[in-house]
Amino acid sequence: VKATGVLPVKQAVTTLKQLKRAKFDETIEVHINLGIDATQSDQMVRGSVALPHGIGKSVRVVVFAQGDDVQKAKDAGADDAGAADLIAKVTGGWLDFDVAIASQAMMGQVSRLGKVLGPRGLMPTPKAGTVVPAGGDIAAAVREFKAGKVEYRSDKTGQIHAGVGKMSFDDDKLAANITTFVETVRAAKPSGVKGNFINGVVLSATMCPGIRMSV
């Protein structure tokens, strides 16, 4: 972590851009250190957030659905959608996607993919907005994730990591994305957490050191 002290969001973005060395358009990442007991399942922090300016990359979305929902998902931009056929494809080792969405009715079948999807963080879950309830709008869920809705979950060390945009974004857009992300995580504080919930936030990029940020 670069020794710049703790910087306000806007200044952290500007400083990070000055450190740019890579030739490609780096992903900018936020790392949040949470004051949770990661061994307690009720203190796990998980959810999703639609960032105001997207994340600057195309998100590959697949949808486990049946009936009319399959066509609705494809019309909304899903990269693939289906029921038993899609489950068989994934069981066979196909994992070329970033987000998996499932209708509530399909979860009984999709749960069998837990060993494949779980370790990769791809398992649909209501908490992350990737399980669409009966009567819910599957097309809207697809569009939100295609536009740059970001899933987050705390890891075994009580940290959350997420990409929040690209180096080429305007400073204001990056600052808005970062603030939205951090505030969404802050609002997801589990009731069992005592004391500080957010211990620190670091902003970094693919090839850049981290910068401590005040939030």
Side-chain angles (χ1 to χ4, degrees):
V1 174
K2 191 170 170 61
T4 52
V6 180
L7 300 178
V9 176
K10 207 89 174 278
Q11 212 177 325
V13 168
T14 309
T15 306
L16 190 66
K17 286 191 170 189
Q18 288 166 354
L19 297 170
K20 179 173 168 62
R21 297 281 180 274
K23 296 272 196 291
F24 63 95
D25 191 11
E26 296 170 69
T27 296
I28 293 195
E29 295 156 0
V30 170
H31 309 272
I32 305 178
N33 179 6
L34 300 174
I36 60 172
D37 180 348
T39 63
Q40 303 294 319
S41 60
D42 64 341
Q43 290 194 25
M44 183 179 170
V45 179
R46 183 168 191 178
S48 58
V49 50
L51 297 178
H53 303 289
I55 52 173
K57 73 165 195 171
S58 60
V59 181
R60 299 166 303 172
V61 176
V62 299
V63 181
F64 296 99
Q66 49 203 1
D68 294 346
D69 282 346
V70 173
Q71 196 54 49
K72 282 180 189 167
K74 287 181 176 174
D75 290 347
D79 296 76
D80 203 347
D85 51 337
L86 184 56
I87 288 172
K89 198 169 165 182
V90 173
T91 306
W94 181 76
L95 288 161
D96 291 341
F97 51 91
D98 307 299
V99 176
I101 295 171
S103 65
Q104 184 68 54
M106 283 294 297
M107 278 309 290
Q109 297 175 58
V110 174
S111 61
R112 298 202 300 265
L113 297 173
K115 283 183 180 162
V116 183
L117 299 180
R120 294 171 177 82
L122 292 169
M123 192 67 194
T125 168
K127 270 192 174 174
T130 44
V131 173
V132 179
D137 191 341
I138 216 149
V142 172
R143 283 193 294 269
E144 282 185 349
F145 279 101
K146 290 294 283 187
K149 193 171 191 181
V150 176
E151 280 189 76
Y152 60 85
R153 61 188 293 174
S154 49
D155 63 18
K156 290 187 181 110
T157 63
Q159 309 269 341
I160 280 177
H161 314 277
V164 290
K166 293 285 191 180
M167 197 68 96
S168 58
F169 280 25
D170 291 348
D171 290 15
D172 287 348
K173 288 183 176 177
L174 276 170
N177 274 3
I178 292 160
T179 304
T180 299
F181 184 77
V182 174
E183 290 310 316
T184 302
V185 172
R186 195 196 303 279
K189 178 180 179 178
S191 55
V193 176
K194 304 291 178 256
N196 271 351
F197 176 48
I198 292 183
N199 289 330
V201 180
V202 170
L203 191 65
S204 71
T206 313
M207 308 287 282
C208 289
I211 293 167
R212 290 188 193 283
M213 200 169 70
S214 59
V215 288

